[in-house]
């Protein structure tokens, strides 16, 4: 028979629910609607023959309920039974919407539950479940489907996509709160489908670029929401004009993680059924693009998709991200860095761009609420300066036969160990030509990310590769520590020899195997001794080894601990030899936590603890429930104040951005200088430092980054606006450490907190008598933790980062009280000196305006510690000395000397002294009383005079005259001065390092003299930093180094030749000539 294709639309009066008086909510008419639809179904059954003869296949009933949107019911005929029934999934949907949302296709693939919400006719959201695959239920999916009705100009299309995505994310977030969805927790994956009916009149390439660029920038702006809502696919369907507007095609673009990878882009051309409009087939939209059958919408290898999603869900359950998604997330974060660096990210506006309707007339848009976060997201334009392939990824796979890492392309999830590694090439704003790094990550979906022997060997080889190549080594840590296990094959075989078989409570003597069971085992699996007992031959177990058994593959005990020692030592060497950075996500246990600390630099996600032992095991050890979560043991509230964690982020997308931020200060390899890069719109070097330090306590971050004053005026700081990033913020809070740029030059920064701060020592839950301790620490003083922090920061800046450092010195000294002496202030203060001695890059100590440097604080940072690398400067209003003026007055300008000064200076006292010499008796006593009274009156003034006199010894003029500082620099001009000085030292020291590398006999002083000679030959003023920078930038460093290398080799060979016995020299010459 023929298929009924006709539609029938029925409108039921002006108000179908006259009896419903309360219409505050759309769904208040539910009960009346059910009655009305039941009546409709009965009526259609009575008229079935009439409808059949008319070829009616669907009936849509519209029931108005002013002032709300109408209620809709859709009825379809069953092709087998020919009975009419309501399609509940299409209830309350405009007649054409089920087709536009492809609801029929979804119903064939899934069991759908509509998640009711505040009615929005243009969008629907469903909870979708699938049949079991290989005995396992696939992860449930949240399907957000929306239609955009309004016509839109090509220019405003990006804003429309952004608005629609804002709405989609909001609706998914609301749906996540529904109990039917919430019960699945992080196992739910979300998919967004947007159907734009407006016809795009532009090139195919323009459509593709607009869609992918807009979605990428939106994901960058709202990456945290995308991760939280488990968005695994965004699909956009658009209608595209072709052939100069004469033809029309349907394009389907998607960014999907469902088929492997993180939100991989794909564009297809869709061919619909000419009658029904339903999709029939798809092909690649662009010629030459590779498309396989599983790329088609709703057509997939469900077993493969289930595997991908099962792994992704397992990682989310652990509070992390599937390791194979990490490169994609890095690429997204890198795109946002390019947008920020080129200044192509527009300001957020209070309203979206107007959408133009073709043919003029009024402006309108499909109903869509604003984002719950206030102002809508404004799409960022992906800059033209950004390279096309900003991230290249090559997976490193172990060839176990050769024990070597090889580069390989393979399917996602095909790893046979719980460690993964990639060699990445990133084209960053600092290195647009590309920079390489090694990325290591635990696969938490493989045996919980535990470290077995193979994982340890893999980790060691990947880390060693980073060291050998001198590349940054990034480790994403999500693991459960060293793998532990038992020989499972022995569990059903061993037997127990009880002391009294009738009373097991008396204990047992030994465990044993029967002869038949023992002979089944492979050689070396157990150590036993044979006995005869009970009329049978027994093999008493002395040790279980498990050699050659399946359950021991990868290690189960001490072999894994040995492997942990291997990678611990490797990580320690890596910190010495190259740049190491760890990102902690999910959890990091045992050796995993130690690896993070051994790598030193750590970024921790807020809900990702670093622990040695789980809280449940500790509770068992203590015999009571003391701890309730892992965060109590190793969350950020523990790891930030103790200095293990440098930075805390909210989620993995923010974590990837933080990794790139840190890398922006790091050279491309261990032997290169840091990248000097000045992004668009950055502060010029030639400007004043607006913020001025005061005599009163203030926040020193204000002079580092700038600040908005009380009147709304921008007061620019020392460094480039927006470049300051603080690290180790919660530890040693009397010292501030971070990284920033000065005219585009990356620098390590150490500054001093001038305000008093409190340090909180938490109570130990395992000790009922312990309580939280609050310790107050004064500003401008080194305490044990802040001294350790200073030394740690210097080591980090020095190793792998190659950063010039500026220390804004403003210390009164070290805290030397009983508590701090007990807490090892001497040890940590000495560590500062050790770190400075080891430092291989320029160090600048600058005493800022109204700053002071006293006593031991001066000693541990004096340039004499490392004169080749350190320089000291002071502001004209800075102070430096052993003691503060009041203190030195108490010692060296006491009251009797102040009285002498009074009698020498004060005219009244001089007059009294003259009278006193000629007076006698009572008159003399009266004068003496007057003198005492005058001295008492003047004492406060002369104490101030004495203090000022002592203070004059601490001024910058004396410091410079004594040669302890290189120059006196005014605070306002300090940015200008240090820009040229730092740049000159960075370029000059890099050249010196290259020269000394090829000629090991050259000292730093020799190299500097050689450079001075070359500069003089080119008529360059060696004392002018600006002129030297221009000259150094023009030099071919490789050519200069090669010329020195040739000279060195000649002289070295000559020395070696002369050391040979005379009778051997001629023979060597002859052999060389031959």
């Amino acid at each position: 028979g023929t298929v009924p294709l006709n539609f029938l639309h029925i409108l039921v009066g002006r108000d179908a629910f006259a009896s419903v008086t309360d219409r505050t909510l759309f769904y208040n008419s539910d009960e009346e609607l059910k009655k009305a639809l039941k009546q409709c179904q009965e009526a259609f059954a009575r008229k079935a023959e009439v409808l059949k003869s008319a070829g009616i296949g669907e009936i849509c009933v519209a029931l108005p309920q002013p002032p709300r949107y109408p209620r809709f019911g859709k009825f379809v005929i069953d092709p087998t039974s020919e009975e009419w029934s309501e399609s509940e999934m299409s209830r309350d949907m405009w007649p054409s919407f089920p087709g536009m949302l492809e609801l029929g296709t979804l119903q064939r693939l899934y069991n759908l539950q509509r998640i009711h919400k505040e009615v929005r006719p243009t969008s629907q959201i469903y909870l979708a479940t699938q049949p079991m695959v290989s005995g396992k239920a696939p992860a449930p999916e949240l399907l957000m489907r929306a239609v955009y009705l309004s016509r839109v100009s090509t220019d405003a299309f990006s804003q429309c996509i952004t608005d629609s995505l804002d709405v989609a994310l909001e609706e998914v977030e609301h749906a996540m709160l529904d109990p039917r969805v919430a019960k699945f927790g992080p196992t739910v994956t979300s998919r967004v489908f947007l159907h734009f009916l407006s016809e795009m009149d532009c090139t195919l390439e323009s459509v593709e670029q607009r869609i992918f660029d807009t979605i990428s920038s939106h994901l960058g702006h709202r990456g945290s929401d995308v991760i939280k809502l488990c968005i695994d696919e965004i699909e956009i369907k658009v209608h595209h004009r072709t052939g100069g507007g004469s033809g029309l095609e349907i394009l389907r673009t998607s960014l999907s993680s469902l088929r492997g990878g993180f939100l991989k882009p794909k564009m297809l051309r869709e061919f619909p059924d000419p009658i029904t409009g339903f999709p029939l087939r798809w092909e690649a939209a662009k010629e030459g693009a590779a498309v396989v059958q599983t790329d088609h919408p709703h057509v997939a290898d469900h077993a493969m998709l289930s595997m991908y999603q099962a792994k992704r869900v397992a990682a989310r359950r652990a509070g992390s991200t599937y390791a194979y998604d990490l490169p994609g997330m890095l690429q997204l974060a890198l795109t946002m860095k390019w947008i920020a660096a080129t200044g192509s990210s527009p300001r957020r506006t209070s309203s979206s761009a107007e959408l133009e309707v073709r043919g003029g007339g009024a402006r309108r848009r499909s109903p869509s609420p604003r984002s719950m976060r206030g102002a809508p997201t404004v799409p960022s334009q992906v800059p033209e300066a950004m390279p096309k392939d900003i991230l290249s990824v090559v997976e490193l796979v172990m060839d176990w036969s050769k024990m070597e890492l090889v580069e390989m392309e393979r399917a996602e999830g095909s790893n046979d160990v719980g460690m993964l590694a990639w060699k990445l090439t990133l084209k960053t704003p600092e290195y647009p030509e590309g920079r390489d790094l090694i990325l290591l990550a635990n696969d938490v979906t493989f045996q919980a990310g535990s470290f077995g022997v193979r994982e340890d060997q893999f980790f060691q080889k990947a880390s060693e590769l980073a060291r050998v190549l001198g590349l940054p080594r990034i480790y994403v840590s999500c693991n459960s520590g060293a793998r532990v296990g038992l020989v499972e094959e022995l569990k059903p075989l061993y037997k127990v020899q009880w002391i009294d078989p009738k009373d097991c409570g008396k204990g047992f003597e030994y465990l044993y195997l029967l002869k038949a069971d023992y002979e089944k085992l492979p050689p070396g699996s157990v150590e036993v001794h044979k006995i005869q007992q009970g009329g049978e031959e027994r093999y008493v177990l002395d040790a279980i080894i498990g050699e050659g058994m399946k359950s021991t593959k990868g290690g189960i005990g001490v072999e894994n601990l040995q492997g942990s020692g291997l990678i611990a030592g490797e990580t320690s060497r890596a910190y010495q030899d190259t740049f190491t950075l760890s990102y902690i996500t999910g959890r990091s246990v045992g050796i995993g936590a130690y690896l993070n600390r051994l790598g030193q630099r750590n970024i921790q996600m807020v809900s990702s603890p670093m622990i040695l032992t789980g809280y449940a095991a500790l509770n068992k050890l203590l015999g009571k429930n003391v701890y309730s979560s892992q965060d109590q043991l190793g969350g950020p509230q523990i790891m930030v104040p103790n200095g293990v964690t440098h930075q805390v982020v909210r989620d993995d997308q923010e974590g990837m951005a933080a990794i790139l931020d840190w890398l922006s200060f790091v050279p491309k390899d261990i032997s290169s200088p840091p990248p000097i890069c000045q992004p668009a719109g950055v502060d010029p070097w030639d400007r004043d430092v607006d913020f001025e330090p005061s005599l009163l306590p203030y926040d020193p971050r204000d002079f580092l980054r700038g600040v908005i004053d009380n009147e709304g005026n921008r007061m620019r700081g020392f460094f480039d606006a927006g470049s300051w990033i603080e690290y180790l913020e919660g530890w040693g809070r009397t010292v501030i450490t971070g990284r920033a740029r000065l005219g585009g030059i990356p620098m390590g920064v150490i500054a001093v907190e001038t305000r008093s701060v409190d340090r909180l020592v938490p109570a130990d839950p395992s000790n009922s008598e312990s309580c939280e301790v609050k310790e107050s620490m004064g500003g401008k003083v080194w305490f044990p933790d802040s001294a350790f922090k200073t030394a740690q920061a210097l080591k980090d800046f020095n190793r792998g980062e190659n950063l010039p450092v500026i220390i804004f010195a403003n210390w009164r000294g070290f805290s030397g009280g009983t508590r701090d002496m007990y807490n090892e202030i001497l040890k940590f203060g000495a560590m500062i000196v050790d770190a400075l001695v080891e430092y291989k890059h320029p160090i600048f100590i600058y005493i800022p305006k109204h700053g002071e440097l006293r006593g031991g604080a001066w000693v541990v940072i004096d340039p004499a510690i490392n004169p080749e690398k350190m320089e000291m400067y002071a502001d004209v209003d800075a102070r430096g000395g052993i003691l503060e003026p009041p203190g030195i007055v108490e010692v060296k300008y006491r009251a009797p000397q102040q009285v002498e000064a009074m009698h020498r200076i004060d005219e009244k006292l001089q007059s009294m002294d003259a009278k006193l010499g000629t007076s006698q008796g009572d008159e003399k006593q009266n004068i003496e009383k007057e003198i005492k009274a005058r001295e008492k009156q003047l004492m406060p003034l002369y104490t101030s005079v004495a203090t000022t006199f002592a203070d004059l010894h601490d001024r910058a003029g004396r410091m410079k005259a004594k040669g302890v500082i290189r120059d006196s620099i005014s605070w306002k001009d300090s940015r200008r001065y240090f820009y040229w000085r730092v740049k000159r030292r960075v370029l000059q020291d890099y050249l010196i390092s290259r020269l000394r590398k090829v000629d090991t006999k050259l000292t730093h002083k020799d190299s500097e003299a050689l450079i001075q000679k070359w500069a003089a030959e080119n008529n360059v003023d060696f004392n002018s930093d600006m002129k030297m920078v221009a000259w150094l930038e023009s030099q071919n460093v490789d050519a200069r180094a090669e010329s020195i290398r040739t000279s060195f080799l000649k002289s070295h060979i000559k020395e070696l030749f002369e050391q040979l016995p005379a009778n051997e020299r001629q023979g060597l010459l002859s052999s060389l000539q031959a």
Side-chain angles (χ1 to χ4, degrees), residues 943-1012:
T943 299
S944 178
V945 169
T947 302
T948 301
F949 179 76
D951 180 67
L952 288 168
H953 292 72
D954 297 341
R955 303 287 176 95
R958 187 173 191 276
M959 296 184 221
K960 186 175 180 181
K962 301 305 291 184
V964 297
I965 64 172
R966 189 172 182 273
D967 205 351
S968 175
I969 310 299
S970 71
W971 176 254
K972 182 177 287 188
D973 294 325
S974 58
R975 177 179 166 86
R976 293 186 185 89
Y977 179 88
F978 281 109
Y979 169 74
W980 290 111
R981 187 63 190 166
V982 173
K983 194 169 187 178
R984 185 253 179 90
R985 282 301 307 265
V986 168
L987 296 172
Q988 182 173 295
D989 282 26
Y990 176 62
L991 178 54
I992 288 173
S993 68
R994 290 292 304 275
L995 298 179
R996 297 184 67 184
K997 189 173 183 180
V998 298
D999 186 347
T1000 55
K1001 292 184 178 181
L1002 276 179
T1003 65
H1004 183 93
K1005 192 173 182 180
D1006 294 337
S1007 303
E1008 198 172 57
L1010 193 57
I1011 292 172
Q1012 185 173 3

Side-chain angles (χ1 to χ4, degrees), residues 362-424:
R363 300 176 188 268
R364 63 189 176 90
R365 64 166 69 243
S366 298
S368 59
R370 283 298 173 215
S371 167
M372 60 187 289
R373 290 162 180 79
T377 306
V378 177
S380 300
Q381 181 180 357
V382 174
E384 294 181 2
M386 187 179 83
K388 293 298 180 185
D389 300 319
I390 59 172
L391 179 68
S392 301
V393 182
V394 178
E395 187 173 0
L396 301 174
V397 180
M398 180 71 87
D399 181 345
W400 295 105
S401 62
K402 299 180 180 178
M403 289 302 292
E404 294 179 354
L405 289 175
V406 295
E407 297 182 359
M408 181 183 295
E409 289 187 11
R410 62 176 180 177
E412 176 181 309
S414 56
N415 53 300
D416 57 355
V417 293
M419 279 298 306
L420 298 167
W422 298 268
K423 185 178 181 182
L424 306 182

Side-chain angles (χ1 to χ4, degrees), residues 17 20 25-34 65 71:
F17 305 102
V20 179
L25 298 177
F26 176 84
Y27 295 110
N28 281 354
S29 55
D30 272 357
E31 293 301 321
E32 294 298 317
L33 177 66
K34 290 178 183 177
Q65 56 164 4
R71 305 298 299 266

Side-chain angles (χ1 to χ4, degrees), residues 540-557:
V540 179
L541 292 169
D542 296 324
I544 298 175
I545 299 168
E547 190 69 31
M549 293 186 165
K550 183 179 179 181
S551 63
T552 62
K553 184 180 179 181
I556 58 171

Side-chain angles (χ1 to χ4, degrees), residues 208-322:
E208 181 182 38
Q209 183 176 356
R210 284 176 184 274
I211 293 176
F212 289 147
D213 287 358
T214 302
I215 297 178
S216 294
S217 69
H218 188 275
L219 293 177
H221 285 301
R222 300 194 61 180
S224 299
D225 295 325
V226 170
I227 291 175
K228 182 180 72 172
L229 302 176
C230 306
I231 304 291
D232 285 334
E233 183 176 72
I234 296 175
E235 197 171 9
I236 293 182
K237 186 174 179 178
V238 297
H239 299 257
H240 175 233
R241 282 280 174 197
T242 61
S246 59
L248 186 67
E249 66 179 359
I250 298 174
L251 299 176
R252 198 174 190 114
T253 59
S254 66
L255 279 84
S256 177
S257 304
L258 299 177
R259 295 161 183 85
F262 179 74
L263 295 177
K264 286 186 175 178
K266 187 72 69 177
M267 175 179 272
L268 302 175
R269 182 178 287 110
E270 183 172 290
F271 295 89
D273 186 296
I275 298 176
T276 65
F278 297 150
L280 288 179
R281 63 186 179 87
W282 298 268
E283 66 180 30
K286 298 177 70 174
E287 285 189 32
V291 175
V292 296
Q293 183 70 12
T294 53
D295 287 329
H296 295 174
H298 317 308
V299 179
D301 181 343
H302 287 286
M304 183 63 71
L305 292 189
S306 178
M307 182 196 76
Y308 289 144
Q309 289 305 92
K311 288 178 176 290
R312 197 166 274 115
V313 165
R316 286 170 179 163
R317 279 177 172 163
S320 182
T321 297
Y322 185 34

